[in-house]
Amino acid sequence: MGLYSTAMETIEAYTGLSPAAFFTIAALMFVTYRIVCSMFVDPEEFNDKKPIDANISSTQPIPIPAPIQEPVQLGDMTEEELRAYNGSDPSKPLLMAIKGQIYDVSPSRMFYGPGGPYALFAGREASRALALMSFDPRDLTADLEGLSESELEVLQDWEYKFMEKYVKVGQIVTEKIAVLQTDDGEANVKKEE
Ligand code: HEM
Ligand SMILES: *[C@@H]1O[C@H](CO)[C@@H](O)[C@H](O)[C@H]1NC(C)=O
Ligand SMILES: *[C@@H]1O[C@H](CO)[C@@H](O)[C@H](O)[C@H]1NC(C)=O
């Protein structure tokens, strides 16, 4: 009791405040202190975090995705030969041709692989279908006859997209032209007549 009243008298003498006011102010200061503290990360805690994170990543390495086969240059092939690359043989890459250029579309197996929405294009020269935005199997051909300016433009946009996204691995040749002209890429694109 004596100690309590001594303490109160001391507080009043030093601060000029009533004990009630002193404790209210002290409580407010403590609350403010805690709020301000919570706004900053304790430097030690902050430094500790990195080793913990490093440990997690070293004990649980980031899973490496299923090996993606590197595109291999396959060179010239006929539309007939291209058909073998429709995804039915998992050891073969998925190929697709646009304007006579063959692209390895294996990275987009979900599009072109068996069961994919664009599986019909796999292993095929799809120029006409892409120009017409057609899923008709009869349009799976390099024949661009009768296409309008804007349809050819659509095809051009597809070609740019494929050139950018996929690796070109060869080009389509017709057997006849392949024998007659070896190094003329543009001529090879044309359909045999
Ligand atoms: C209802 C109509 C269609 C819808 C909603 C649709 C939707 C899509 C979507 C969401 C993608 C994925 C794009 C990406 O993630 O890169 C895609 C890709 C593609 N679409 Fe369509 N599509 C439609 C019609 C067509 C048609 C008619 C064709 C051609 C005949 C076509 C050819 C393609 C091709 C070739 C790709 C893959 C491009 C690549 O390899 O990156 N689509 N489509
Ligand atoms: C890191 O992980 C190993 C094995 O999981 C464990 O023994 C070690 O104590 C961890 N180190 C730290 C700093 O957490
Ligand atoms: C893919 O090609 C193989 C033979 O080259 C054929 O047996 C199979 O039916 C084709 N699959 C599709 C979906 O066209």
Side-chain angles (χ1 to χ4, degrees):
M1 195 63 201
L3 188 67
Y4 175 79
S5 51
T6 309
M8 294 302 140
E9 274 162 31
T10 311
I11 286 167
E12 209 161 351
Y14 276 90
T15 65
L17 295 167
S18 73
F22 173 81
F23 283 114
T24 305
I25 290 168
L28 285 173
M29 284 169 75
F30 178 71
V31 169
T32 308
Y33 168 78
R34 292 303 298 262
I35 290 170
V36 171
C37 280
S38 71
M39 292 159 107
F40 298 96
V41 178
D42 179 9
E44 285 199 18
E45 230 174 83
F46 182 77
N47 288 337
D48 281 354
K49 274 192 179 133
K50 281 189 176 157
I52 290 167
D53 285 348
N55 202 21
I56 288 167
S57 61
S58 66
T59 54
Q60 303 174 332
I62 297 155
I64 296 156
I68 291 169
Q69 225 120 34
E70 277 301 305
V72 175
Q73 288 305 309
L74 297 163
D76 296 350
M77 64 175 87
T78 63
E79 282 192 39
E80 217 31 59
E81 289 166 332
L82 183 66
R83 293 217 188 187
Y85 300 87
N86 65 3
S88 61
D89 181 349
S91 71
K92 284 195 167 76
L94 264 175
L95 303 183
M96 180 173 161
I98 296 177
K99 292 171 92 173
Q101 309 301 307
I102 302 167
Y103 299 90
D104 185 341
V105 296
S106 305
S108 296
R109 192 161 274 272
M110 64 283 188
F111 288 150
Y112 305 105
Y118 304 120
L120 81 161
F121 298 138
R124 304 299 297 266
E125 156 59 87
S127 293
R128 191 178 184 87
L130 289 174
L132 295 170
M133 297 297 284
S134 159
F135 290 136
D136 188 335
R138 286 171 297 180
D139 291 325
L140 293 171
T141 165
D143 184 3
L144 304 180
E145 220 177 275
L147 293 189
S148 72
E149 200 73 14
S150 65
E151 286 161 348
L152 292 172
E153 231 168 81
V154 169
L155 177 58
Q156 188 57 65
D157 287 343
W158 279 114
E159 186 182 23
Y160 288 145
K161 183 181 168 100
F162 275 68
M163 282 162 58
E164 196 185 317
K165 187 169 178 181
Y166 302 112
V167 177
K168 201 192 120 183
V169 295
Q171 44 192 321
I172 297 290
V173 292
T174 60
E175 277 121 327
K176 209 172 173 183
I177 290 171
V179 172
L180 296 176
Q181 308 176 315
T182 46
D183 279 335
D184 191 343
E186 281 309 303
N188 291 343
V189 177
K190 292 212 177 84
K191 253 194 102 175
E192 209 176 345
E193 275 163 1

